Amino acid sequence: MIWRSMGESIVFSLALLGLALYFLYIYGFLTAFSSWREGAKLFLGMAGASVLIGGGYGFWSSHRNSARLEQLQDVMMLLEKGNLSRAVPYLGEDEIGRLGQQLNRISRKWEEQVSSLQRLSTNNAELAEKARYSAVVEERQRLARDLHDAVSQQLFAISMTATAVGRTLEKDFEKAKRQIHLIEEMSSVAQSEMRALLLHLRPVHLEGKRLAQGLRELLAELQAKVPIDITYEMDEELQLPKGIEDQLFRIVQEALSNTLRHSKATQMEIKLQCPADLVRLSVRDNGVGFSPDEEKHASYGLLSMRERVTEIGGSLNIISAPGKGTRIEIRAPVMGEEEGELVDGRTSGRIH
């Protein structure tokens, strides 16, 4: 923009010079020179002065406008990332200044909408917590029925088959081998059934814990069941509105589930930080990855994460490629009086 403005100003100044010389000549104010060298010298001097003046004015004017546009661009980039804390400074009363004032009004309206979304998310989390308590008894009864119908019957069948092996071993060795193989299959099925039931017992809410504490317990529980190296870095004393905490906790659960089911990863890294009034969550693994252009990226798990991020007014960025692992970046503004207060309590660790 600067070079274009300088070029236009130079052309305009040369055109004005030529027009001025023409009128001076027409009205007799410009007399003939004694030699062509004297005329050429004067003309070149005036043309050089015009180029300098036009170029200088073009640079000054475009640089001033460019600096103001860069300020607008910086604020718009922060808004795109979910950071609503920075306002556009006063940029004058011209079109650019009015554009900055309009952008500030849009930012304030967006801030009010995000605050309303987060209050609604908090209210929904409180209602969901109350509803969860009313379903505890029913859930216990269902688990008891599943234990009786699935695992208990499998264990009884294993016991009966094992007793039969003892009687068959000396009479028919091949039949005993088949019975032992059957026991292995039934025990594998019973183990799968038990793991499935244990997944239902995993908490889906923080249950009064802080987000960092709930995530640490979730990672420790996961590591006890699955051989995977997990590192984390979290703000230990981070306090967020309940709606945001519950949504981020569920997002991490969904990300861990996707990693275990699809990525075949051996290492994971989780970071939870809150610089100023913006919370950042990062989940990274070294798995097989995928191509974001394929239909796989629109799976239920990723769609669920996008919906949860939208509910708290944040942004979700998924970076992945075949064979390069997957990284999930989440940013969400923290609004209102319940804004998170960050103290020197950051913790990091490794679970392996």
Side-chain angles (χ1 to χ4, degrees), residues 100-124:
Q101 295 173 7
Q102 185 177 10
L103 185 59
N104 282 334
R105 291 193 294 270
I106 293 175
S107 178
R108 285 193 294 269
K109 290 182 179 180
W110 191 2
E111 183 176 349
E112 293 173 358
Q113 292 177 356
V114 170
S115 180
S116 298
L117 280 174
Q118 293 183 0
R119 285 196 300 268
L120 179 61
S121 180
T122 298
N123 293 335
N124 290 340

Side-chain angles (χ1 to χ4, degrees), residues 269-313:
E269 181 184 67
I270 298 177
K271 292 184 178 181
L272 176 65
Q273 301 169 329
C274 188
D277 53 358
L278 185 70
V279 61
R280 297 178 180 177
L281 174 65
S282 171
V283 181
R284 187 175 184 178
D285 66 54
N286 66 340
V288 296
F290 62 93
S291 175
D293 296 331
E294 297 178 357
E295 187 178 356
K296 182 178 180 181
H297 81 282
S299 64
Y300 173 78
L302 297 183
L303 289 177
S304 176
M305 282 191 281
R306 291 187 188 277
E307 291 174 356
R308 296 187 186 281
V309 171
T310 301
E311 286 188 16
I312 58 177

Side-chain angles (χ1 to χ4, degrees), residues 129-130 173 179 249 301:
E129 184 176 359
K130 294 178 181 178
F173 183 73
Q179 290 176 334
F249 185 73

Side-chain angles (χ1 to χ4, degrees), residues 30-47:
L30 186 64
T31 59
F33 297 99
S34 58
S35 66
W36 66 270
R37 290 185 178 180
E38 183 180 354
K41 183 177 180 181
L42 178 61
F43 176 77
L44 290 177
M46 297 176 65

Side-chain angles (χ1 to χ4, degrees), residues 114-321:
V114 170
S115 180
S116 298
L117 280 174
Q118 293 183 0
R119 285 196 300 268
L120 179 61
S121 180
T122 298
N123 293 335
N124 290 340
E126 293 175 352
L127 292 175
E129 184 176 359
K130 294 178 181 178
R132 186 176 72 255
Y133 286 118
S134 65
V136 169
V137 175
E138 181 181 353
E139 182 68 12
R140 288 178 177 175
Q141 292 176 349
R142 186 188 68 81
L143 290 175
R145 288 194 303 268
D146 290 343
L147 282 171
H148 178 269
D149 296 340
V151 180
S152 179
Q153 293 184 11
Q154 291 288 342
L155 293 177
F156 178 75
I158 290 173
S159 177
M160 295 296 295
T161 306
T163 302
V165 169
R167 294 193 299 265
T168 310
L169 187 60
E170 296 181 356
K171 299 178 181 180
D172 189 345
F173 183 73
E174 292 298 325
K175 183 178 180 181
K177 288 175 61 178
R178 291 193 297 271
Q179 290 176 334
I180 293 175
H181 182 68
L182 181 61
I183 290 175
E184 293 177 350
E185 291 182 349
M186 289 188 294
S187 64
S188 177
V189 172
Q191 188 178 27
S192 299
E193 293 283 353
M194 182 60 70
R195 285 178 177 175
L197 291 175
L198 290 176
L199 287 178
H200 289 290
L201 294 176
R202 277 172 44 191
V204 295
H205 297 275
L206 291 174
E207 298 180 343
K209 306 182 183 70
R210 288 178 178 172
L211 180 58
Q213 180 184 359
L215 290 178
R216 284 202 325 273
E217 294 179 0
L218 178 64
L219 297 177
E221 179 183 354
L222 176 66
Q223 186 59 39
K225 300 175 182 178
V226 181
I228 185 171
D229 186 15
I230 303 177
T231 59
Y232 64 86
E233 180 180 343
M234 293 179 280
D235 293 331
E236 182 68 20
E237 302 298 327
L238 176 63
Q239 297 182 16
L240 299 170
K242 184 173 179 58
I244 298 181
E245 286 192 332
D246 280 346
Q247 295 292 18
L248 292 179
F249 185 73
R250 293 190 179 191
I251 288 171
V252 173
Q253 281 186 317
E254 195 68 55
L256 294 176
S257 175
N258 287 345
T259 298
L260 297 179
R261 290 167 54 197
H262 305 299
S263 72
K264 301 179 182 179
T266 59
Q267 294 180 349
M268 289 189 65
E269 181 184 67
I270 298 177
K271 292 184 178 181
L272 176 65
Q273 301 169 329
C274 188
D277 53 358
L278 185 70
V279 61
R280 297 178 180 177
L281 174 65
S282 171
V283 181
R284 187 175 184 178
D285 66 54
N286 66 340
V288 296
F290 62 93
S291 175
D293 296 331
E294 297 178 357
E295 187 178 356
K296 182 178 180 181
H297 81 282
S299 64
Y300 173 78
L302 297 183
L303 289 177
S304 176
M305 282 191 281
R306 291 187 188 277
E307 291 174 356
R308 296 187 186 281
V309 171
T310 301
E311 286 188 16
I312 58 177
S315 61
L316 172 67
N317 188 24
I318 300 175
I319 304 172
S320 184

